[in-house]
Amino acid sequence: MSENAIFPPSPEFVSKAHVQGMEQYRKLYREAAGNPEAFWADIAKREIHWFEPWDHVFEWNPPFVKWFAGAKTNAAYNCIDRHLEARGDKVAILWEGEPGDVREITYKELHRLVCRFANVLKARGLKTGDRAIVYMPMVPELPVALLACARLGVIHSVVFGGFSAEALKARIQDLDACMVITADGGWRRGKEVRLKDAVDEAVQECPGVQNVIVHQRTKSQIPMREGRDHWWHELEEGVSDDCPAVPVDSEHPLYVLYTSGTTGQPKGILHTTGGYLTAILMTMKWVFDLREEDVYWCTADIGWVTGHSYVVYAPLAAGATTVMYEGAPDYPDYGRFWQTVAKHKVSIFYSSPTAIRALIKQGEKWPAMHDLSSLRLLGSVGEPINPAAWEWYYRVIGKNRCPIVDTWWQTETGGILIAPMPGAVPLKPGSGTLPLPGIIAEVVDFSGNPVAANQEGFLIIKRPWPSMIRTIWGDPERFQQQYFSRIPGVYFTGDAARQDEDGYFWILGRVDDVMNVSGHRLSTMEVESALVRHPAVAEAAVVGKPHEITGQAVCCFVTLKAGDYDLPALNKELRQWVAHEIGAFARPEEIRFAEALPKTRSGKIMRRLLREIVTTRTVTGDVTTLEDLTVVTRLAAQNDEE
Ligand code: WTA
């Protein structure tokens, strides 16, 4: 497929879309740019339920922003209660477990489940402003737990079930959480992933955790500590089905979600309530062109931001049917995604390039076995989608009739910022296309000046939008320094990009020391810190290496302390070590032992050179500041020994 292929929306798609044609898109964009306050206030009034109105729409004291401050709202009320009259019997959550068990939870039933669990939380003493950690498999009780927290104004923080006890502990401590909500385990590839064991290990060093609530999923044997651990179903006995939603300020924290930064310490990204809901609900309607009858499936795990915004909050706020799947895409076979689409008549399917590439590898016979005619729109998120994967997704899954919305955004942005409105914007495979209304995106140089068309630069966002990060939990200075100091007053995304002659954005990847493995963010420093905690390791440098399926893979250069080692065994051990310290998804693809690492004369490791070695297999960049050139030639030579 040519680099310059353009796919305009079909007249049929346009005729039914919410936003029809470029003129309508441009009009919305102009309105928002001309008067963003009036534009967002209008949407907030129309789309969100408020118990009390705001004092003023917007306050901007860089880097701190407030939207609709003074207004009272509640996220759970917006996601459930207000739908009860019109959609009480509509399926809110359509869940499929890995073993094939299905639960269809209507809005009415969701209301009951959330009220009951909120009453459980209340009975354990939780109140507005307290923090609860959620460490669960992809079962309906996970969104129920989030919504129950939101109902009471309790701040939740989901830790992805693939994180280790170590990582879980660091997050509980940073947040000073008083409760952990978990499960005995979940199913993945036919095996139990045990979660409670990791919780037990983590909370040993978290004296602030007074309660651990355990949902029973796999029914395996787990130890329960008297006084601290409680079964969800036992606590629920006899509680009321009713629990009023607590009106909270628009700026009340809804959740903290940890993501990798450029240091070894993850950052707790804080999102608040009113602005967040307004923007994610609107982007849901714009980008997925949502209709009442849609069956919408976002395959992300709720442990990541995509799951927060586009599995739970946006679809439920929109009154949609959101599909949740517990397990692996390749279980029991490579047709599981397509079988699930056919079984539940999914109309909108939103997934990641990594998942698509992994399935491409298995061939077209898997999708061919299932009826995919219910699909009308496809989405992609988390990393750039390469044109070959785009073409396969479009042709084999979408049968050349479903637009693909490539959505660019970040944990920090809360919702989608750059993506096509599918009934308006012509698609170019590999490009997120144009910014949504209210988003002023630019590609700039080091001094913040816009670069010419097709020149590479830093992607920045010039004006605050309602769902943007409010701060880093407990560290406002790091917040200012990370996002607003490079180019004062504007939001620095950390991504490189170029804008073509039509103004389309092409994302080129991170400019900082953050890797993107299977669409998951991972800091090189986090992996390095894990490695140097191993007794044999003297120094470590970690870089992302291009990988056919996962986008990038973790590649580690390691020097050892003096001693005799069985290198193949140590290699295996170190990969396992990182998986244990951070989580299995961080397991390095490759460990390379080196005599020394390339350093500048001031002692900084030159990751740029290592990146070049694993990417191009040679070193062409500037090496004039390098301390010992032979280090690099020796490392590059290792390539040839592979
Ligand atoms: C990358 C995930 C290209 C980007 C929602 C960003 C993308 C990081 C795209 C955020 C896309 C996300 N095209 N790159 N459509 N979407 N990225 O915080 O580098 O897990 O900065 O949020 O993923 O990852 P995060």
Side-chain angles (χ1 to χ4, degrees), residues 99-356:
D101 36 347
V102 170
R103 282 166 70 187
E104 297 193 352
I105 300 172
T106 62
Y107 276 93
K108 254 189 218 153
E109 177 64 3
L110 183 62
H111 180 259
R112 198 181 75 90
L113 295 172
V114 168
C115 283
R116 289 173 69 79
F117 194 60
N119 281 326
V120 165
L121 296 178
K122 247 197 224 171
R124 303 315 305 169
L126 261 75
K127 49 188 191 317
T128 306
D130 285 347
R131 274 89 54 209
I133 291 277
V134 180
Y135 185 63
M136 292 185 83
M138 282 286 282
V139 292
E141 281 70 18
L142 169 47
V144 167
L146 304 192
L147 292 162
C149 287
R151 199 162 186 86
L152 302 176
V154 170
I155 307 166
H156 62 71
S157 185
V158 182
V159 177
F160 171 57
F163 274 113
S164 67
E166 269 306 306
L168 177 61
K169 181 180 80 186
R171 285 155 177 77
I172 299 172
Q173 289 177 342
D174 188 68
L175 203 61
D176 196 14
C178 63
M179 176 180 281
V180 177
I181 304 168
T182 187
D184 42 8
W187 297 110
R188 196 154 174 99
R189 297 207 174 88
K191 292 205 192 86
E192 187 195 14
V193 178
R194 289 172 70 87
L195 293 174
K196 175 66 165 46
D197 296 346
V199 173
D200 287 339
E201 197 183 326
V203 297
Q204 269 174 15
E205 290 170 62
C206 302
V209 174
Q210 288 144 11
N211 287 284
V212 174
I213 301 186
V214 189
H215 163 65
Q216 193 168 41
R217 165 67 181 142
T218 55
K219 300 201 166 66
S220 65
Q221 281 295 317
I222 54 164
M224 294 289 278
R225 187 149 128 213
E226 188 68 38
R228 186 196 69 190
D229 302 351
H230 316 273
W231 288 108
W232 178 312
H233 58 273
E234 287 178 5
L235 292 180
E236 238 185 20
E237 277 168 26
V239 302
S240 154
D241 284 1
D242 190 38
C243 175
V246 176
V248 296
D249 195 279
S250 175
E251 280 299 328
H252 183 70
L254 178 60
Y255 67 80
V256 173
L257 182 61
Y258 286 85
T259 187
S260 294
T262 45
T263 69
Q265 189 63 29
K267 351 178 232 199
I269 306 301
L270 178 72
H271 284 295
T272 58
T273 309
Y276 173 78
L277 282 178
T278 304
I280 61 164
L281 172 50
M282 203 57 234
T283 54
M284 177 91 205
K285 293 190 174 178
W286 281 333
V287 176
F288 298 108
D289 192 42
L290 193 70
R291 292 211 283 268
E292 193 63 50
E293 66 278 13
D294 274 318
V295 176
Y296 162 88
W297 183 17
C298 167
T299 66
D301 192 288
I302 295 172
W304 309 103
V305 74
T306 305
H308 281 63
S309 296
Y310 296 103
V311 176
V312 183
Y313 286 110
L316 294 178
T321 296
T322 179
V323 176
M324 254 180 96
Y325 167 59
E326 178 185 32
D330 55 359
Y331 189 84
D333 62 41
Y334 296 105
R336 186 62 185 265
F337 270 5
W338 319 127
Q339 181 198 358
T340 307
V341 166
K343 180 166 162 191
H344 301 298
K345 303 210 166 21
V346 170
S347 57
I348 304 175
F349 179 79
Y350 186 31
S351 196
S352 69
T354 287
I356 302 303

Side-chain angles (χ1 to χ4, degrees), residues 47-96:
E47 301 285 343
I48 298 295
H49 169 271
W50 305 90
F51 294 101
E52 283 173 38
W54 46 82
D55 307 325
H56 39 268
V57 174
F58 172 70
E59 260 173 55
W60 176 226
N61 299 307
F64 301 104
V65 72
K66 289 184 179 169
W67 284 90
F68 315 117
K72 297 278 184 290
T73 186
N74 183 287
Y77 189 94
N78 272 284
C79 289
I80 310 170
D81 303 50
R82 64 169 171 152
H83 301 310
L84 290 177
E85 210 170 299
R87 309 186 174 99
D89 295 320
K90 178 173 176 176
V91 174
I93 297 175
L94 204 175
W95 174 81
E96 177 155 322

Side-chain angles (χ1 to χ4, degrees), residues 259 304-306 350 353 380-385 405-413 418 430-432 493-496 506-510 514 516 519-521:
T259 187
W304 309 103
V305 74
T306 305
Y350 186 31
S380 171
V381 62
E383 40 183 324
I385 182 162
V405 290
D406 180 355
T407 63
W408 178 88
W409 58 295
Q410 308 176 300
T411 306
E412 293 87 342
T413 70
I418 301 179
S431 167
T493 65
D495 276 357
W506 298 78
I507 308 298
L508 305 166
R510 305 285 309 185
V514 172
N516 189 330
H520 300 150
R521 265 162 78 168

